[in-house]
Structure formats: C-alpha cells, structure tokens
Amino acid sequence: MILKITIIFCLTFSLFLNGGGAAFSHQAEQDRQSDIEWYEWGEEAFNRAEAEDKLILLDLTAVWCHACHVMDQTTYSDPQVLALLQSHFIPIRVDTDQRPDLEARYRSGGWPTTSVLLPTGEVLFEANSLEPDVMVELLQEARVLYESEKEDLRTKAAQLWDRVKSRVHTNQSLSGVLRSSMARHSVDMMKMEFDAMNGGFRDHPKFFEPNAIQMALAYGFFEQDAELMNMGLTTLNKQVVLLDPVWGGFYRYAEQADWSQPHFEKMLTIQAQNLHNYLYAFQLTGNVEYKHIAIRIIDYVETFLSDHQTSQFFESQDADVRDQAGITLVSGAEYFSWEMIHRKAHGMPFVDRRMYTGSNADMSGAYLHASHVLENSELQERALKVLKQIVVERFDATKGVAHGTINGAFMLYGELSDHVRLGQALVTAFHSTKDPQFLQDAEAIARINQELLHDRKGGGFFDRPLSSDNLGLLNIPTKPARENIQAARFYLNLFHLTDNEDYRSTAEHTLLSVVGTPQPLPVALMGLAADEWFRPPVHIAIVGMPDDVMTQTLLLAGQQVFCPGKIMRSFDPREGQATWGDVTFPYDGRSVAFVCTDQICLAPVFQAKNVKGSVEELIAVLKKQPA
C-alpha cells in the first residue's frame, strides 16, 4: 500500500469560517506511558522545529479516549515509529479538554487526531487513529515530501497567512436577515432527519443531541405540536439504554442506530445536558420515570465526578480499567456489563480530576434546575458555591475567565465558550435566588467578553482573544457558529432581565453574523435561538409576603411548571406597588400569581395547583393570535 499524502493547509478552509517551564509535557492526564518525549504546545517546540527544520507530529488526544490509549500501547510504542519521531520530527501532544482553542483548529473527525505540521504549524496531513505500519509510511512519505518540496510548501503557507491578515483587516457587513420562519424551517429539517424507530436525529453513530430535544419539547409545547414533542420524548426514552444500570450516568455515544455498542466514557457536560432534558420531560409530562433518571444522573455525578472539598466537578471518567503504565486491564465493554461487586473487585476506570470552567458552569446550571424540580435545596447550595468560587478564583476584569489550571496556575483566559457558559449559569442563579450579585457577575462577564472578543466590523465573537504571538493556526481569527449562537442567547437573556438595549443589539448582530456565514449551522440550536428571538418570554409574577406559606408555594409552582424561557419575579407588597414594565399588579392581602407576556395578562391565580393551567391557557391564547 502506498500512502498518498494530501497537502491540506487547514487555514485554507478556516479563512471562510469567519472564523517557559519543562521542555516536555508532564500533564496530569499523561499516565499513559511511552518512550516518546512529548513536547507541550509552545515556543520551545516551535523554535526547535524551525531551528532544526523538522516537521511537527501533533497528537491531539484526550484522557478519556479509548483509541488514544490503544495508539499509545501499539503505534507509539513501535520501535520504527519511535526512531522516526526521535530523529526527524518534533512530537507535540495536546489534551483536547485542556486546550479547546487548539481542538477547534486541529481536530479532524474525532480523537485522536494525528497531524503532520510544517515547522510553522500549517497542516500537511491529518488522520485519526493509525496502526504502526501506516504511521511509519506516513512519517516517511511526509519527510520525503517536505525535503523535496520545502520551498513551495513554505511559499504557499506564507501566501495563505497574507490572506489571513488581509481578511482580518477587511470591513465586513452584516448581510443576513432574521426571520421567524427560521424556527419552523429547523423543525421541518428535524422531522425529516428523525429516526422514528430508534429516536434521535441521525442514523449512526448515535450521539446525544440535547439542543434538538430541547427544541422538540419547547417549540412543540408553544406551538401545540404533539408530533414534535413526541420526537423529543421518544429520543429520551430510546437513548436511556446508554444509562449505566449500576452507577448511573450516561456513556458518551453509541456506534449503532439502535443505541447499541456504546463508547463507555462518561463526560461531565453530557451528564449536565441530559439532566436538563430529563427534568424538562418530567415537568412536561409528570412521568416519574424521567424524574428517576434525573436522580440517577445526580447520584453518579455526586459519587464519581465531585470534589467534596471544593464542591466543584471533575471532567470525565475513562471507559477502561488501566494500570499505572496505561495498559488496559479490563475493557469498558466487559467492565460495564458487571454488577457492583464484580466492578469493585477489579478497580475503577480513571477519573480525570481536573476542573474546567465551562463544564462546571454547565453542571451548576443543571443542578439549579434540579433543585426546584426535585425540591432539593442542597443542589442549589452546591451549585451556587461552585459559581461563586469560579467568579472569585478565575474571573479577571481585564483577561476574562480562566479555562482551567496547569500545575496549579490558572491558564487560557478569555475563551468565548467559558464566558458564555458561565454567564448563562449566573443568569440561572439569579433567576433561582434573585440575588443581584449573580446578575452583576453575569453582566461583568458580558462586558469583558465584548471587550476581548467582539468583532465590531463583522458582528459576532471570536473564540479567543487575538494575539501577536500566537503559534500555528491559532493565528486564524475564528468565529464558531455554535458558540456565537449561544452567546446571542446569553445577551438576549440579559436584555430580558435588564431592558438594556445594548444587549439586545449585541444578540441581534451576533445572530446576523451567524446567518451570514458560509459555515454549516447547527440546525436545532439555530432554531432555538430564532424562536427565542421572536417569541416574547412568559412572565410569572408572584405578589405576597415572602414568609407566607402560600407565597412560597406559588413560587415553587411557577418554578416547576414547564415553560421554557419563562421569567419569574416576586414582589413584596411592603416595598410598594408591584410593577413590572408597564404593568402594575393588584394586591388585596392574599398571595397571588399573575401569568403574562409583555402584552397580555390572565386572571390572577390564588392556588398553586392552578399555575400550570394558567400557563397553558396563555400559550393557547397566544397560539390563536395572528403571527
């Protein structure tokens, strides 16, 4: 077999997406042993590549990645591979969880991503998991190609960087248009892709698609589309086979359309996303099975992914049981088929105890949701403690939020994803507690996010702060669609809470920049954002003495009712008239709830059991109104 090398130069495509310490990596996740002296991503490795005129072998890996462990035990332990890398390449290993900015630019397909780079960081070739003989052939051909066509490759790379610089300094206009029909178009596409037999919105492999489920439940509820709601519920019912029957918690994905052949890694964010959606399903249907699944997710997180000293959450759990050298002792497929006693006798898959901002924010938001639906105040206390710690320890008023730590030092400040996910969790905390500090913190993050990442020419946000000393493809200014859509939703939420038109304008321009981009859009998430943009949120106002039992009961009923995007406010009659916008709510001494939009209010509700009915009545009234 002759391996043909394709000159890829990833930045060719990225242009149109709008988008000192020890020499070698000794990161915590590198318990996987090999004889390769891996460099960290940094100036030392790149300087050596330039000085010695060597290609770079970039291994984008993950601590939980089964195929990555296999490559360590086979390919990266092969004598020929070792000899080639040590003599003719600069090997760099990057952890995808630790460096999402590099993942965004260098990951291709999945994990691991194996790339050969020019000394300046452009991609010459990329693949995923490679067997030893294929890796040897790749390295040999890459070396020959570089030696024979070096000048041409470097010239093309320089020309591409000129195009990057030109694009950065070119004025861009917002040419997209937001239309309410975007939400319906997203729903139509979801219905076309829906797997009616197995649930989910693709054939295989089957990944969790939390935004699609959220869209199905929310849009179906507001538009009284039973078919759409059933799609979301069917998917939740079918994907539950990926719930660990012993410990709880969901595996990462399944290879087959019927959710069989799981990959047994467990990720914190996947637990958070599923927790939200099973809670939504319970709120919508009252089916206690969804409640039980939510509780099993929480039990798993509390047992395996929780630091009970700091209250923060760990990132992931591996699929396989491995020894200290990284050798697999028991595969995930075998291990997770066992009962508790058998598992305990054979050890436990490795838990990555690093704590990252975005995933901790995700889990905190999910815990806040669960605290009201499950009436568990301890979950709220836990979530609020985590959020307060992150703001105190990781937020810098000039650099933004730190993504995580390396050797105890905070690193990677200013990532868009961390800003948005933490900001949204703080908004949720404000909704839950009405403590103004959480809203103030969310607004502080929104401000620094604009200062560091906002594209004032073309709208939207870059994924990381621009810098003159970036290496390789980090020089490419990238505005990822998914993170920008989530940013627009964050700023829209702030507008609804503050009436600050600057937030609304930012949300609008961000969505317009996404609509105008040539990159593929996440269908369900774009539909959610469009629907939230055009659909006024439901307001639930509670007026009554704070310590009155009926006031508290009405508040809980409002929090538990299914109505995505609802905004709740409570008013103490001792502080004057209860006024929300242009509406003043009457108070006759009895605790009372009002269900409204910014245009219409229904009759007052004095009993908690009638809050749900009032919300459903309002949705029906709005449905009858002309668009």
Side-chain angles (χ1 to χ4, degrees):
M1 177 187 67
I2 301 299
L3 183 65
K4 298 299 182 182
I5 295 181
T6 302
I7 302 172
I8 295 178
F9 284 132
C10 285
L11 64 164
T12 305
F13 305 103
S14 300
L15 280 169
F16 303 100
L17 297 182
N18 284 322
F24 306 108
S25 175
H26 296 291
Q27 299 161 6
E29 71 274 16
Q30 301 305 334
D31 58 341
R32 314 198 313 267
Q33 301 296 316
S34 75
D35 293 328
I36 298 173
E37 297 178 322
W38 292 104
Y39 273 84
E40 295 178 355
W41 179 278
E43 290 186 359
E44 187 167 5
F46 277 83
N47 288 343
R48 183 180 169 191
E50 285 281 18
E52 300 181 15
D53 196 18
K54 290 182 178 179
L55 294 172
I56 294 169
L57 187 284
L58 176 63
D59 176 37
L60 184 65
T61 185
V63 65
W64 41 262
C65 166
H66 173 79
C68 304
H69 303 320
V70 172
M71 273 197 72
D72 272 344
Q73 295 171 32
T74 56
T75 302
Y76 290 129
S77 297
D78 182 84
Q80 283 186 280
V81 173
L82 286 169
L84 282 167
L85 288 179
Q86 289 172 350
S87 300
H88 304 293
F89 292 83
I90 303 298
I92 298 178
R93 172 164 280 176
V94 169
D95 181 272
T96 190
D97 294 322
Q98 196 169 69
R99 292 300 301 268
D101 54 340
L102 292 172
E103 180 201 336
R105 289 158 174 80
Y106 285 101
R107 181 167 68 87
S108 176
W111 297 270
T113 293
T114 307
S115 303
V116 177
L117 314 182
L118 296 181
T120 45
E122 299 84 9
V123 177
L124 185 64
F125 177 88
E126 59 189 7
N128 294 115
S129 181
L130 297 173
E131 295 181 356
D133 58 336
V134 179
M135 176 68 92
V136 168
E137 196 168 1
L138 164 65
L139 297 177
Q140 289 174 337
E141 291 200 15
R143 182 188 170 202
V144 170
L145 176 66
Y146 181 61
E147 291 298 329
S148 63
E149 302 185 26
K150 183 184 307 182
E151 295 306 318
D152 185 47
L153 292 172
R154 284 183 172 268
T155 298
K156 289 179 179 178
Q159 291 172 346
L160 289 169
W161 286 124
D162 288 339
R163 294 173 63 190
V164 169
K165 295 176 183 177
S166 174
R167 186 170 183 84
V168 170
H169 294 96
T170 299
N171 287 322
Q172 298 174 324
S173 59
L174 296 173
S175 56
V177 177
L178 298 180
R179 298 184 178 91
S180 59
S181 59
M182 289 177 174
R184 172 49 63 182
H185 291 161
S186 294
V187 166
D188 291 342
M189 293 180 68
M190 289 168 58
K191 288 184 176 181
M192 290 176 59
E193 297 296 325
F194 180 64
D195 182 345
M197 178 177 292
N198 301 300
F201 299 88
R202 68 175 77 199
D203 181 16
H204 69 279
K206 274 292 198 323
F207 289 92
F208 296 110
E209 300 185 66
N211 296 136
I213 294 174
Q214 187 180 352
M215 181 64 175
L217 299 183
Y219 194 84
F221 172 76
F222 288 125
E223 295 298 314
Q224 300 180 329
D225 185 335
E227 177 191 2
L228 186 59
M229 285 188 287
N230 186 61
M231 287 164 53
L233 295 173
T234 297
T235 301
L236 289 172
N237 295 338
K238 295 290 187 177
Q239 72 179 35
V240 78
V241 297
L242 293 187
L243 182 71
D244 184 346
V246 176
W247 287 340
F250 278 92
Y251 308 132
R252 191 164 70 94
Y253 75 100
E255 291 187 7
Q256 301 303 319
D258 62 356
W259 302 93
S260 62
Q261 293 184 241
H263 282 226
F264 293 93
E265 307 92 348
K266 295 181 181 179
M267 323 299 292
L268 180 61
T269 291
I270 284 177
Q271 311 312 319
Q273 293 167 339
N274 277 307
L275 179 54
H276 273 303
N277 279 334
Y278 282 97
L279 290 169
Y280 284 138
F282 173 59
Q283 289 176 278
L284 176 63
T285 67
N287 184 338
V288 294
E289 183 59 29
Y290 296 128
K291 176 182 177 180
H292 294 156
I293 294 170
I295 292 172
R296 299 206 61 211
I297 295 172
I298 294 169
D299 287 344
Y300 168 74
V301 172
E302 284 296 299
T303 303
F304 294 93
L305 298 184
S306 292
D307 183 339
H308 294 288
Q309 290 185 331
T310 68
S311 293
Q312 294 184 22
F313 301 101
F314 301 139
E315 184 66 12
S316 64
Q317 184 176 32
D318 203 346
D320 310 317
V321 177
R322 296 178 286 117
D323 64 16
Q324 292 297 315
I327 304 299
T328 299
L329 302 177
V330 185
S331 71
E334 182 178 9
Y335 185 86
F336 285 100
S337 69
W338 294 341
E339 294 299 321
M340 179 75 77
I341 294 177
H342 205 179
R343 290 185 186 185
K344 286 184 176 180
H346 288 79
M348 187 178 74
F350 174 77
V351 172
D352 182 0
R353 299 171 66 87
R354 295 173 298 180
M355 295 170 278
Y356 295 110
T357 294
S359 51
N360 266 260
D362 292 342
M363 200 71 238
S364 296
Y367 266 36
L368 289 169
H369 186 183
S371 69
H372 300 303
V373 177
L374 304 179
E375 299 184 51
N376 185 336
S377 61
E378 292 183 2
L379 295 176
Q380 174 171 295
E381 293 172 5
R382 169 79 178 280
L384 297 180
K385 182 177 180 180
V386 172
L387 295 175
K388 289 176 181 177
Q389 285 179 338
I390 291 176
V391 171
V392 170
E393 297 175 358
R394 302 191 178 196
F395 177 61
D396 185 287
T398 60
K399 297 189 297 184
V401 179
H403 175 65
T405 61
I406 295 181
N407 299 324
F410 291 112
M411 45 74 72
L412 206 62
Y413 281 85
E415 291 286 301
L416 175 61
S417 177
D418 289 324
H419 287 176
V420 171
R421 293 157 78 182
L422 178 57
Q424 288 283 46
L426 290 168
V427 167
T428 302
F430 174 71
H431 280 304
S432 297
T433 66
K434 302 304 179 288
D435 183 343
Q437 186 61 52
F438 290 114
L439 181 57
Q440 292 170 21
D441 291 338
E443 290 192 89
I445 289 172
R447 285 192 297 272
I448 192 62
N449 192 62
Q450 288 177 306
E451 293 174 13
L452 294 176
L453 305 176
H454 191 211
D455 181 1
R456 290 172 175 79
K457 296 178 181 178
F461 296 92
F462 298 111
D463 67 334
R464 67 191 302 276
L466 300 179
S467 173
S468 60
D469 59 354
N470 288 330
L471 300 169
L473 300 188
L474 289 181
N475 281 291
I476 298 176
T478 301
K479 295 191 292 185
R482 183 174 298 277
E483 286 79 0
N484 270 271
I485 296 171
Q486 296 287 28
R489 299 176 73 199
F490 170 46
Y491 282 94
L492 185 61
N493 284 338
L494 288 178
F495 164 71
H496 288 314
L497 290 174
T498 65
D499 292 324
N500 184 335
E501 284 291 337
D502 180 61
Y503 293 140
R504 188 180 188 279
S505 176
T506 299
E508 180 178 25
H509 289 162
T510 301
L511 286 176
L512 286 172
S513 73
V514 172
V515 171
T517 184
Q519 64 181 304
L521 299 182
V523 172
L525 183 58
M526 189 66 221
L528 270 174
D531 190 51
E532 290 167 353
W533 179 260
F534 288 100
R535 190 185 303 279
V538 171
H539 295 171
I540 302 178
I542 311 295
V543 186
M545 304 296 286
D547 56 353
D548 187 279
V549 173
M550 185 53 66
T551 301
Q552 297 169 0
T553 304
L554 288 169
L555 273 169
L556 182 61
Q559 291 166 334
Q560 293 185 332
V561 69
F562 181 80
C563 185
K566 68 178 182 282
I567 301 175
M568 293 187 61
R569 290 184 63 179
S570 56
F571 298 90
D572 186 341
R574 295 171 299 183
E575 297 177 355
Q577 287 186 316
T579 301
W580 192 345
D582 296 330
V583 179
T584 299
F585 302 106
Y587 176 68
D588 64 3
R590 294 178 294 171
S591 300
V592 60
F594 296 90
V595 179
C596 314
T597 69
D598 57 352
Q599 300 291 324
I600 183 175
C601 274
L602 299 187
V605 176
F606 296 99
Q607 295 185 355
K609 65 180 181 180
N610 295 330
V611 171
K612 179 180 179 182
S614 186
V615 170
E616 292 173 346
E617 180 184 353
L618 179 63
I619 300 304
V621 170
L622 295 174
K623 176 66 176 171
K624 294 177 182 178
Q625 292 184 342

